[in-house]
Amino acid sequence: MPAYNARLRPKELFGLPLWGVVCGIGALSAGFMALVLPWVLVKVLMAVVGALFFAVMVALFALGEDVAFMPVRFMAARERQRRPAEVTRPE
């Protein structure tokens, strides 16, 4: 979406969204710790954290530059009939 203000463009590292790269590093480190640490409870916890980081990373990479508009989309979905309160008639 090239037509929006450049200030909204997410920061990038090597052409990838910065938060996606950070989540990828978190997923790799949590996965490594899940394999290396000897305690079962910590292994399971690190595996779950790694899976969550991986899911967020995939979502951020899939959305790309549209990440900046996700709060607006969530707010629009909460509005009744997807119209803002200012437009709807009072009942």
Side-chain angles (χ1 to χ4, degrees):
M1 186 176 287
Y4 64 89
N5 194 337
R7 290 180 296 161
L8 295 176
R9 183 176 296 126
K11 304 291 188 251
E12 292 183 352
L13 184 66
F14 304 117
L16 298 171
L18 180 64
W19 287 110
V21 173
V22 169
C23 287
I25 292 170
L28 284 174
S29 63
F32 177 73
M33 289 177 69
L35 293 174
V36 171
L37 293 175
W39 307 287
V40 175
L41 182 63
V42 177
K43 280 181 178 269
V44 171
L45 181 66
M46 286 295 125
V48 169
V49 168
L52 289 175
F53 271 132
F54 184 76
V56 171
M57 178 191 69
V58 168
L60 288 173
F61 286 163
L63 291 173
E65 292 183 344
D66 290 337
V67 171
F69 299 110
M70 289 312 295
V72 176
R73 287 184 183 170
F74 288 135
M75 286 188 287
R78 285 192 313 208
E79 294 285 344
R80 186 172 48 178
Q81 297 174 356
R82 297 203 182 243
R83 288 185 291 183
E86 293 85 15
V87 176
T88 58
R89 293 183 303 204
E91 296 178 18

